[in-house]
């Protein structure tokens, strides 16, 4: 098990958190946090079996998630921008998306479908000349 420390909201509300591509590293729920572990493999016995290249399970409502944890996961997706758009859709106002991935310039792995660096994520910055707006992907405005 992996333990993630996330601050409790002042309201005392229990946080809804998602661990994407959990593999065997499931995160346990606590009094403050309800964790849903998602993986595409039934073998690892996740809470929800789902291929996140095709979106989140319909069991997870839009604007309902407080934390999405993607630790060494996004590099395994064929459609990482679609994944980010789906995260944006599921996160509640003030929600947090935590992404950690290997530096694609340094590491290659046969199971990785994409290679990422800080430059890849910079396109999400509104100041970037080729800024990619996640909301446009959801509404179908992106080419």
């Amino acid at each position: 098990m992996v333990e993630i420390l996330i601050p409790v909201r002042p309201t005392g509300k229990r946080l809804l958190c998602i661990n994407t591509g959990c593999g065997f590293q499931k995160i346990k729920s606590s009094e403050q946090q309800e964790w849903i572990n998602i993986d595409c493999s039934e073998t690892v016995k996740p809470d929800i079996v789902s291929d996140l290249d095709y979106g989140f399970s319909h069991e997870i409502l839009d604007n309902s998630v407080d934390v999405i944890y993607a630790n060494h996961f996004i590099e395994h997706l064929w459609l990482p921008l679609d994944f980010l758009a789906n995260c944006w859709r599921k996160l509640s106002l003030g929600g947090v998306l935590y992404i950690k991935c290997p530096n694609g310039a340094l590491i290659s792995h046969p199971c990785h479908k994409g290679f990422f660096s800080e430059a890849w994520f910079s396109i999400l910055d509104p100041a970037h000349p080729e800024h990619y707006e996640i909301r446009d992907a959801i509404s179908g405005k992106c080419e």
Side-chain angles (χ1 to χ4, degrees):
M1 286 286 183
V2 176
E3 185 176 11
I4 308 299
L5 301 176
I6 296 171
V8 176
R9 291 206 172 145
T11 61
K13 171 190 166 227
R14 190 173 189 207
L15 298 176
L16 177 58
C17 309
I18 295 180
N19 179 16
T20 61
C22 65
F24 288 106
Q25 297 188 346
K26 295 183 205 73
I27 303 174
K28 236 182 186 180
S29 293
S30 68
E31 285 183 31
Q32 296 84 22
Q33 305 159 9
E34 177 187 350
W35 280 93
I36 298 172
N37 297 284
I38 300 176
D39 201 281
C40 65
S41 172
E42 291 181 13
T43 306
V44 300
K45 297 182 171 61
D47 301 313
I48 296 176
V49 176
S50 181
D51 184 345
L52 293 175
D53 254 326
Y54 301 101
F56 284 91
S57 165
H58 296 294
E59 298 169 55
I60 299 167
L61 302 176
D62 290 355
N63 303 309
S64 68
V65 179
D66 298 296
V67 176
I68 296 176
Y69 181 69
N71 185 26
H72 289 270
F73 172 69
I74 196 168
E75 67 273 13
H76 295 272
L77 296 173
W78 289 109
L79 306 167
L81 289 174
D82 287 357
F83 170 73
L84 293 177
N86 284 314
C87 288
W88 187 87
R89 181 183 295 121
K90 297 299 178 182
L91 284 170
S92 61
L93 184 63
V96 174
L97 171 59
Y98 174 88
I99 296 176
K100 182 177 179 183
C101 62
N103 185 334
L106 302 175
I107 299 173
S108 65
H109 186 282
C111 292
H112 291 179
K113 313 229 177 16
F115 300 98
F116 298 90
S117 66
E118 287 181 27
W120 189 91
F121 290 100
S122 70
I123 198 167
L124 301 174
D125 180 352
H128 191 280
E130 296 177 27
H131 173 61
Y132 177 86
E133 185 62 57
I134 295 297
R135 280 169 257 178
D136 290 344
I138 291 170
S139 64
K141 293 180 188 172
C142 288
E143 297 174 359

